[in-house]
C-alpha cells in the first residue's frame, strides 16, 4: 500500500490562514503571539507597530543597573541605521541567531540553551530581541519566562502555565528589523520574518533593561501582534540564512 501524498490542502505552508511558524510557536502558547502568514504575494502593507506603554525617558542608559550582568560595554547609543557589519550567526536548531559575545551579546550561553546578557544599547536590544524569538522556538519557553521576561503579572501568569514544547521543524528565519523606539532603558524593535515558501511577516518585541540585561515586556493583554506582510520594504536587511 502506498503512502498518501500531501496535497495543497494538507500542506500547512500552502494554506492562507494561520500558517504558524515554529520560530514562534512555543511563544504562541506562552506569550500569546499568533503569526499568520499568507502564501507569497499575500498580506497587507506593513503598518507601524503599536508603541503603547513606551517610555519617555532620556536616550542615555540610566545609571541604576546600567552595567550588563556579564560586563559587556554599553557602547554606541545611536539606533543602528544599517545592519551591524560584524554580525555572526549560529544555528539554534534550524533557526539562525545573531551573536556577538564580546560586543552586543549573548555574552552568556548556557548548556540548557539559555542565551542571555546583552549590551545596554540599541544594538544590544536588537540582538536580545532576536535571540528571544529564537529561544522561543527551541522548546524552552520556560527559560524565557524565568530569565528573559520582565517582572510583572504577565510573567507570573506565564510561569503558572504548564511547560510547552515546539515542533522540530522551523520554516521561518529572521530577515530584517526596524528600531521603532529606543529610550535608554526601553526599546521596541520589529523583526521581519521569512518563511520557507517565500511568505513574509513581522513581529514586534518590546524590551526593558532590568537587572543588568534586556527583558521581554509583555503587553497587558498578553498578546503581541504579529502581522502578515506583502514584502519587507522598509526593514533593514539582517539575516543569517
Amino acid at each position: 500500500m502506498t503512502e498518501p501524498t500531501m496535497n495543497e490542502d494538507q500542506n500547512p505552508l500552502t494554506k492562507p490562514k494561520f500558517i504558524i511558524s515554529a520560530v514562534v510557536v512555543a511563544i504562541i502558547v506562552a506569550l500569546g503571539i499568533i503569526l499568520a502568514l499568507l502564501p507569497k504575494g499575500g498580506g497587507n502593507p506593513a503598518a507601524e507597530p503599536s508603541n503603547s506603554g513606551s517610555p519617555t525617558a532620556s536616550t542615555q542608559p540610566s545609571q541604576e543597573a546600567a552595567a550588563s550582568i556579564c560586563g559587556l560595554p554599553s557602547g554606541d547609543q545611536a539606533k543602528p541605521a544599517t545592519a551591524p557589519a560584524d554580525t555572526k550567526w549560529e544555528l539554534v536548531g534550524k533557526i539562525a541567531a545573531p551573536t556577538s559575545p564580546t560586543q552586543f551579546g549573548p555574552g552568556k550561553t548556557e548548556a540548557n540553551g539559555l542565551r542571555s546578557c546583552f549590551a545596554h544599547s540599541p544594538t544590544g536590544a536588537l540582538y536580545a530581541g532576536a535571540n528571544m524569538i529564537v529561544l522561543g522556538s527551541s522548546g524552552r519557553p520556560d527559560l524565557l519566562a524565568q530569565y528573559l521576561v520582565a517582572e510583572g503579572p504577565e510573567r507570573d501568569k506565564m510561569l503558572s502555565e504548564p511547560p510547552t514544547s515546539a515542533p522540530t521543524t522551523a520554516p521561518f528565519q529572521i530577515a530584517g528589523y526596524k528600531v521603532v523606539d529606543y529610550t535608554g532603558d526601553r526599546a521596541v524593535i520589529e523583526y521581519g520574518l521569512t518563511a520557507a515558501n517565500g511568505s513574509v511577516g513581522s513581529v514586534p518585541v518590546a524590551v526593558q533593561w532590568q537587572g543588568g540585561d534586556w527583558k521581554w515586556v509583555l503587553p497587558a493583554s498578553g498578546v503581541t501582534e504579529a502581522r502578515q506582510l506583502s514584502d519587507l520594504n522598509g526593514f533593514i536587511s539582517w539575516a543569517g540564512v
Side-chain angles (χ1 to χ4, degrees):
M1 181 175 179
T2 60
E3 293 292 327
T5 59
M6 180 176 285
N7 58 34
E8 284 195 350
D9 291 334
Q10 295 171 314
N11 183 355
L13 292 180
T14 64
K15 293 183 178 180
K17 292 182 179 180
F18 299 136
I19 301 176
I20 300 176
S21 166
V23 171
V24 293
V25 72
I27 311 176
I28 290 170
V29 177
L31 307 187
I33 294 176
I34 298 178
L35 177 58
L37 295 180
L38 294 175
K40 188 175 182 180
N44 299 309
E48 289 302 314
S50 172
N51 196 20
S52 59
S54 298
T56 57
S58 166
T59 56
Q60 293 298 316
S62 65
Q63 292 300 313
E64 183 179 357
S68 79
I69 56 174
C70 65
L72 291 183
S74 295
D76 189 356
Q77 294 299 302
K79 298 178 184 178
T82 59
D86 57 351
T87 301
K88 297 188 183 303
W89 298 79
E90 58 188 26
L91 288 178
V92 178
K94 294 185 178 181
I95 307 165
T99 179
S100 176
T102 63
Q103 189 172 8
F104 303 121
K108 298 172 66 177
T109 301
E110 309 292 348
N112 62 4
L114 178 64
R115 302 168 67 82
S116 64
C117 186
F118 297 89
H120 196 175
S121 67
T123 306
L126 172 67
Y127 274 73
N131 277 271
M132 289 171 188
I133 291 173
V134 173
L135 182 59
S137 74
S138 69
R140 296 301 305 273
D142 56 313
L143 293 177
L144 276 176
Q146 291 176 40
Y147 302 107
L148 297 177
V149 171
E151 295 177 0
E154 291 77 22
R155 177 179 181 269
D156 295 341
K157 179 181 178 182
M158 188 175 174
L159 285 171
S160 70
E161 295 174 348
T164 59
S165 59
T168 57
T169 58
F172 285 81
Q173 297 290 342
I174 294 171
Y177 70 89
K178 297 177 183 179
V179 180
V180 178
D181 189 38
Y182 180 75
T183 55
D185 287 339
R186 289 285 297 266
V188 179
I189 300 170
E190 186 176 12
Y191 294 89
L193 305 176
T194 59
N197 69 343
S199 56
V200 297
S202 70
V203 61
V205 176
V207 292
Q208 169 79 45
W209 187 257
Q210 188 178 86
D213 205 356
W214 290 109
K215 303 296 176 69
W216 196 324
V217 179
L218 304 184
S221 65
V223 177
T224 298
E225 293 184 2
R227 270 182 295 279
Q228 49 188 256
L229 305 175
S230 57
D231 55 53
L232 293 178
N233 288 340
F235 286 80
I236 296 170
S237 180
W238 192 52
V241 175

